[in-house]
Amino acid sequence: MNKTRFTVNGRQVTCEAEGRTLLVDYLRQQLRLTGTHVGCDTTQCGACMVHVDGKAMKSCTLLVAQLEGSDVTTIEGLAQGNGPHSVQAAFKEHHGLQCGFCTPGMIMSAVDMIRRHGEALTEDVIRHDLEGNICRCTGYVNIVKSIKAAAKDMSGQTP
Amino acid sequence: MHEFDYFKPPNVEAALKAATEADDPSFLSGGMTLLPTMKQRLAAPSTLVDVTGIESLRGIEPRGEQGLWIGAATTHFEVSASEVVSGFCSAVGTLAGGIGDPAVRHRGTIGGSVANNDPAADYPALILGMNAIVETSKRTIRGDEFFVGMFETALTDGEMITGFEFERPNRASYAKFPNPASRYAVVGVFVAEFANGSVRVAVTGAGSDGVFRWHAAEEALVDEFSERSVQNCPMEDVDMMSDIHAAADYRAALIRVMARRAIINTVRPKG
């Protein structure tokens, strides 16, 4: 058993679990944060995307044990205050989803790429940086549109 | 995934000790290959020794006038975003920025990639193409001696990569034809020309024994550093991989195309 202390959405947590416990399983089954999805479970689809210390990572390929002292943010912790996060709002406005299964991961990746590129985020860069997220409805056109709009809306702000 | 013991030691000595005391240890860095492999039960180490907490394995530093050092546990993202790296040789950052996807680059490390020696990974082409010095917990190994075969390296049991040292090339470039799903190289070619006039051409993604040098192209490029030089020079006599992604003869043809692209893209590094 390993004891790991870290934060999830700003809240201090202590996980006592076998070394093989994956972050996504701990989030979903212990913390009941089921907005982080398991799509492929093989590090390809990006439905399980979370932020670890501010960087997008796939929670199906992280052990909880690796996270001692880290800050984890999930889709549930993205919005500050009452309203949705700007990227969530943009996905709603531009209908950046079809079935919605990949959406939490898309949004977590979108926030990460806006942080890295800011206003320089072109459609070409968005499409390249979405390589780690798969939408099996193939609804990419509106996803890209949503991210582009969010990047524009958020210019000058901290994402 | 089978159960295992997990340790995150603070320094190299403690990591080597933990590995020595375990039945079947494995060093864990970013885990972008090892963890998926363990989930499929293709690997089942008794103990994971996480090296990412070891401060001396992280970072990017100039070494002398013409050198660069990258710590083994430095992520692909850190390499791709580093101004020290882009000032040294832009091809290094470009190669790192083309590995996998952003989430993989945030976690995966140069040491993990090189130690694993996947036949389609990008970093082996850099290490061999630059004949970089691989620093380990025991010794230093040149790129030419490091890669032994598919997923095989000169590393011995319990030996850990600690960093890499590179000599600045006059000019270098990497071109790859990525698998559209995995972003691994179907074929990737790293071309570098050094101050003494020597040229190295390293090919990943194609060989059944992993990364290899294309010697005829190197000789042709010493005579004339131009894409025309590799147009007709004989292909290296190695066994090419053949799979659902590309047949052997197609890979051989792609090597020539990627080499041409790398040569055309080659720019003299700043400074």
Side-chain angles (χ1 to χ4, degrees), chain B:
Chain B
M1 203 177 337
H2 291 287
E3 183 50 348
F4 50 82
D5 294 324
Y6 172 90
F7 295 106
K8 192 171 183 179
N11 54 51
V12 173
E13 294 69 33
L16 297 177
K17 186 165 179 282
T20 308
E21 288 167 359
D23 286 340
D24 183 17
S26 188
F27 292 118
L28 171 69
S29 192
M32 292 295 100
T33 298
L34 181 57
L35 294 176
T37 309
M38 289 170 64
K39 285 165 80 174
Q40 293 183 320
R41 299 193 169 181
L42 296 170
S46 68
T47 305
L48 288 184
V49 181
D50 186 342
V51 303
T52 60
I54 304 174
E55 206 52 45
S56 65
L57 300 189
R58 302 194 80 116
I60 298 165
E61 292 162 15
R63 274 284 159 98
E65 287 288 295
Q66 296 296 323
L68 177 77
W69 180 85
I70 302 178
T74 307
T75 65
H76 309 325
F77 173 74
E78 288 162 346
V79 173
S80 70
S82 163
E83 286 180 10
V84 176
V85 169
S86 59
F88 171 77
C89 171
S90 61
V92 180
T94 305
L95 178 144
I99 297 171
D101 58 56
V104 167
R105 293 195 288 273
H106 281 152
R107 196 81 204 170
T109 68
I110 182 170
S113 171
V114 173
N116 188 49
N117 192 18
D118 189 299
D122 298 294
Y123 267 129
L126 174 71
I127 303 302
L128 186 63
M130 300 269 263
N131 199 19
I133 297 170
V134 183
E135 298 175 354
T136 80
S137 50
K138 285 184 184 166
R139 54 185 167 148
T140 58
I141 310 167
R142 279 282 181 177
D144 271 335
E145 278 81 48
F146 185 81
F147 301 102
V148 174
M150 187 181 276
F151 297 109
E152 277 185 55
T153 69
L155 293 170
T156 56
D157 283 351
E159 185 174 12
M160 184 204 296
I161 300 179
T162 53
F164 302 89
E165 198 174 329
F166 301 89
E167 178 197 341
R168 186 198 297 267
N170 276 352
R171 43 186 173 174
S173 182
Y174 179 64
K176 86 161 159 174
F177 189 88
N179 178 305
S182 71
R183 303 288 156 186
Y184 271 102
V186 176
V187 165
V189 177
F190 192 90
V191 176
E193 183 199 56
F194 295 89
N196 63 6
S198 67
V199 174
R200 296 175 66 95
V201 179
V203 180
T204 189
S208 295
D209 289 326
V211 66
F212 64 87
R213 284 169 65 190
W214 183 11
H215 292 89
E218 294 176 352
E219 287 162 26
L221 288 167
V222 168
D223 290 342
E224 185 197 347
F225 197 88
S226 143
E227 72 274 15
R228 290 187 302 274
S229 299
V230 298
Q231 192 61 41
N232 297 308
C233 73
M235 186 47 60
E236 191 75 8
D237 183 22
V238 297
D239 187 37
M240 300 286 175
M241 286 194 283
S242 208
D243 54 31
I244 57 165
H245 306 299
D249 57 347
Y250 181 71
R251 276 193 164 86
L254 267 183
I255 292 170
R256 212 176 284 280
V257 177
M258 291 304 114
R260 281 171 51 86
R261 282 191 193 168
I263 295 159
I264 290 167
N265 291 338
T266 296
V267 287
R268 197 169 288 272
K270 280 181 262 171

